[in-house]
Coordinates of all heavy atoms in Angstrom, one line a residue:
H53 N -1.1 -6.2 -4.5 CA -0.4 -7.4 -4.2 C -0.5 -7.8 -2.7 O -0.3 -7.0 -1.8 CB 1.1 -7.1 -4.5 CG 2.0 -8.3 -4.3 ND1 3.4 -8.1 -4.2 CD2 1.8 -9.6 -4.3 CE1 3.9 -9.3 -4.1 NE2 3.0 -10.2 -4.2
W54 N -0.8 -9.1 -2.5 CA -0.8 -9.6 -1.2 C 0.5 -10.5 -1.1 O 0.7 -11.4 -1.9 CB -2.0 -10.5 -0.9 CG -1.8 -11.4 0.4 CD1 -1.8 -12.7 0.4 CD2 -1.6 -10.9 1.7 NE1 -1.6 -13.2 1.7 CE2 -1.4 -12.1 2.5 CE3 -1.4 -9.7 2.3 CZ2 -1.2 -12.1 3.9 CZ3 -1.2 -9.6 3.7 CH2 -1.1 -10.8 4.4
R55 N 1.3 -10.2 -0.2 CA 2.5 -11.1 0.0 C 2.9 -11.2 1.5 O 2.6 -10.3 2.2 CB 3.7 -10.5 -0.8 CG 4.2 -9.1 -0.3 CD 5.5 -8.7 -0.9 NE 5.6 -7.3 -1.0 CZ 6.7 -6.6 -0.6 NH1 7.7 -7.2 0.0 NH2 6.7 -5.3 -0.8
Y58 N 9.1 -10.4 3.0 CA 9.8 -9.1 3.1 C 11.3 -9.5 3.3 O 11.6 -10.5 3.9 CB 9.3 -8.2 4.2 CG 8.3 -7.2 3.8 CD1 7.0 -7.5 3.8 CD2 8.7 -6.0 3.4 CE1 6.0 -6.6 3.3 CE2 7.8 -5.0 2.9 CZ 6.4 -5.4 2.9 OH 5.5 -4.4 2.5
W93 N 8.4 -13.8 -7.5 CA 9.5 -12.8 -7.6 C 10.7 -13.5 -8.3 O 11.1 -14.6 -8.0 CB 10.0 -12.4 -6.2 CG 9.2 -11.4 -5.4 CD1 7.9 -11.1 -5.7 CD2 9.6 -10.7 -4.3 NE1 7.5 -10.1 -4.8 CE2 8.5 -9.9 -3.9 CE3 10.8 -10.6 -3.5 CZ2 8.5 -9.1 -2.8 CZ3 10.8 -9.8 -2.4 CH2 9.7 -9.0 -2.0
E103 N 11.1 -2.5 -2.9 CA 10.2 -3.7 -2.7 C 11.0 -4.8 -2.0 O 10.4 -5.8 -1.7 CB 9.6 -4.1 -4.0 CG 8.3 -3.3 -4.4 CD 8.6 -1.8 -4.5 OE1 9.4 -1.4 -5.4 OE2 8.2 -1.1 -3.6
F244 N 0.7 -13.3 -9.2 CA 1.2 -12.0 -9.2 C 2.7 -12.2 -9.5 O 3.3 -13.1 -8.9 CB 1.0 -11.3 -7.8 CG 1.8 -10.0 -7.7 CD1 1.3 -8.8 -8.1 CD2 3.1 -10.1 -7.3 CE1 2.0 -7.7 -8.1 CE2 3.9 -8.9 -7.2 CZ 3.3 -7.7 -7.7
F246 N 6.7 -10.1 -10.1 CA 7.5 -8.9 -10.0 C 8.9 -9.2 -10.4 O 9.5 -10.2 -10.0 CB 7.5 -8.4 -8.5 CG 8.0 -7.0 -8.3 CD1 7.1 -6.0 -7.9 CD2 9.3 -6.6 -8.5 CE1 7.5 -4.7 -7.7 CE2 9.7 -5.3 -8.3 CZ 8.8 -4.4 -7.9
Y260 N 5.8 -5.2 -12.8 CA 5.0 -6.2 -12.1 C 3.7 -6.4 -12.9 O 3.4 -5.6 -13.7 CB 4.7 -5.8 -10.6 CG 3.8 -4.6 -10.6 CD1 2.4 -4.8 -10.5 CD2 4.3 -3.3 -10.6 CE1 1.6 -3.7 -10.5 CE2 3.5 -2.2 -10.6 CZ 2.1 -2.4 -10.5 OH 1.2 -1.3 -10.5
F262 N -0.4 -8.6 -12.6 CA -1.3 -9.5 -11.9 C -1.8 -10.6 -12.8 O -1.8 -10.4 -14.1 CB -2.5 -8.7 -11.4 CG -2.1 -7.8 -10.2 CD1 -1.7 -6.5 -10.5 CD2 -2.2 -8.2 -8.9 CE1 -1.4 -5.6 -9.5 CE2 -1.9 -7.3 -7.9 CZ -1.5 -6.0 -8.2
V278 N 7.4 0.1 -11.9 CA 7.6 0.8 -10.6 C 8.8 1.7 -10.8 O 9.9 1.4 -10.4 CB 7.8 -0.2 -9.4 CG1 7.8 0.6 -8.1 CG2 6.7 -1.2 -9.4
W357 N 4.0 1.2 0.4 CA 3.1 0.2 -0.3 C 2.3 -0.5 0.8 O 2.6 -1.7 1.1 CB 3.9 -0.7 -1.1 CG 4.7 0.0 -2.2 CD1 6.1 0.1 -2.2 CD2 4.3 0.6 -3.4 NE1 6.5 0.8 -3.3 CE2 5.4 1.1 -4.1 CE3 3.0 0.8 -3.9 CZ2 5.3 1.8 -5.3 CZ3 2.9 1.5 -5.1 CH2 4.0 1.9 -5.8
K360 N -1.4 -4.1 1.8 CA -1.4 -5.4 2.4 C -1.5 -5.4 3.9 O -1.9 -6.4 4.5 CB -0.1 -6.2 1.9 CG 1.1 -5.5 2.3 CD 2.4 -6.2 1.8 CE 2.8 -5.8 0.4 NZ 3.2 -4.3 0.3
Ligands
LIG401 C1 4.4 -4.6 -3.2 O1 4.3 -5.8 -3.1 O2 4.6 -4.0 -2.2 C2 4.3 -3.9 -4.5 C3 3.9 -4.6 -5.6 C4 3.8 -3.9 -6.8 C5 4.1 -2.6 -7.0 C6 4.6 -1.9 -5.8 C7 4.7 -2.6 -4.6

Side-chain angles (χ1 to χ4, degrees):
H53 183 200
W54 165 243
R55 61 169 151 132
Y58 264 88
W93 280 15
E103 277 55 69
F244 171 88
F246 197 109
Y260 67 92
F262 290 91
V278 186
W357 301 109
K360 60 184 86 61

